[in-house]
Amino acid sequence: MKSDDQARFLFGISLTDRPKWQQFLICSSGFFFGYLVNGLCEEYVYNRLGFSYGWYFTFVQGFVYLFLIRIQGFTTKQMVNPWKIYVKLSVVLMCSHGLTKGSLAYLNYPAQIMFKSTKVLPVMVVGAFMPSLRRKYPVQEYVSAVLFVGGLIFFTLADANTSPNFSIIGVIMITGALVMDSFLGNLQEAIFTLNPDTSQMEMLFCSTVVGAPVLLLPMILTGELVVAWKSCSEHPYVYGVLVFEAMATFIGQISVLSLIAIFGAAATAMVTTARKAVTLLLSYLIFTKPLTEQHFSGLLLISMGIVSRLLPDSKPPQQAVKSDNIRRSRHKEENISSENTADEEKRPLV
C-alpha cells in the first residue's frame, strides 16, 4: 500500500482525513459504478448494434471528458507538471483504450476477460523495473495475484455456452492493450510519486488533450474515421449512448486515478480485475444461469486471492520506506535551516 500525505478529493469528497479503508471503499465504489455502466453500454453498441469502431468511439469520448473536466472548474493555470511529461502517458493511454474497444470486434467477452484479467501480473513486473518506482512486492502479493487471475480465468472457461472465441487479429489487439496497461498504471503512479501536487483532473485532462490527436493516425490509416462517421450519422442515437457511457466512465477514470495516487498501480490493478469478476457473477445472478462446480472452484480461487491480499505484510514495502526516509530527510534539513536562521538573528549587529 502506498503512503501519501497529499490532500486528495474525489468529486468534492475529501479523502485525506479518512481512514484507508474508507478511502479505498469510496474510490472503488466510484470505479465500479462507472465501469459497470461502461460494460453495459459497450455490450449494447458492439454486440446489439454491431458497431466496432473502437478508435473513433475513444476519440469522441475524449471530448466528453474535456467538457466534464471544464465543468469541474479545472484550467491549465492549475497545472503543476509540464506538458512533455504527459506525451508518453497519453500515447499509452489512447492506444490501450483504442485496442481494448477495437478487440471486441474480433473477440467475444469471455475471451477478452481472459486476457485482461492477467493485467495485474505485468503491472507488478513493470513496476518492479521502472526506474522512477522500483517497487518491491512481497511474495504474498504475487501469490495473491496468481490466485486471483487463475480463479477468474477458471470461472470464465466454465461457461460452455459462451466459450472464448479467438481471432488472431483480436488476440494481437488485446495483447497490445495488455502491454499498454502494464505501463499505463505505473507511469501514472510515477507522476503522482514524483510530484504529489498532481491532481486527478490534471492527469486526465492532459492525457486526453495530448492523446486525442494520436487517435487520428490509426483512424485515417484504417479508414475507420470515414466509415464510423457515416455509420453514426445514419444512427445518431449512438452518440447519445457514447455520451452517457463517457459520463459514467469519467467517474470511473477519476476514481481509478485516486486509487493509483493513494494505493499504487498494483493494488488498483487488483480492483480493476475484481470488477470483471463482479460483472461476470452478476450476469449469472441476474440472468439465472446455472453455476457449475468449475464456477465455484473459480470463485474459491478468487476468494483465496483476495484474502491473501488482505493479510498484513510481515515487512513494509520498500517504496513506502523509501518515501518515509526522504520525507524525514527533508524535515531534518528544514529544521537545521530554521535553527541556522534563528542563530543568525540572535547575533549582535556590528
Side-chain angles (χ1 to χ4, degrees), residues 30 41 55 96 125 131 192 226 301:
C41 292
W55 301 106
S96 172
V125 172
F192 282 125
V226 177
L301 288 174

Side-chain angles (χ1 to χ4, degrees), residues 1-3 127-128 133-138 141 189 193 313-326:
M1 187 175 291
K2 188 179 177 184
S3 179
L133 292 177
R134 296 290 186 184
R135 293 185 66 85
K136 303 297 181 183
Y137 299 100
E141 293 200 22
E189 182 181 353
T193 301
D313 297 335
S314 57
K315 294 187 297 183
Q318 283 191 357
Q319 183 71 17
V321 173
K322 184 178 179 181
S323 299
D324 290 340
N325 290 338
I326 293 173

Side-chain angles (χ1 to χ4, degrees), residues 107-125:
L107 301 174
N108 61 359
Y109 192 65
Q112 191 193 66
I113 286 289
M114 283 184 57
F115 281 93
K116 294 289 282 186
S117 63
T118 64
K119 180 175 69 173
V120 62
L121 295 175
V123 165
M124 294 175 72
V125 172

Side-chain angles (χ1 to χ4, degrees), residues 252-270:
Q253 285 278 354
I254 298 298
S255 300
V256 163
L257 291 174
S258 301
L259 282 169
I260 292 174
I262 299 173
F263 297 96
T268 303
M270 288 286 288

Side-chain angles (χ1 to χ4, degrees), residues 149-162:
V149 169
L152 188 52
I153 293 176
F154 211 62
F155 187 94
T156 304
L157 290 174
D159 193 352
N161 295 325
T162 57

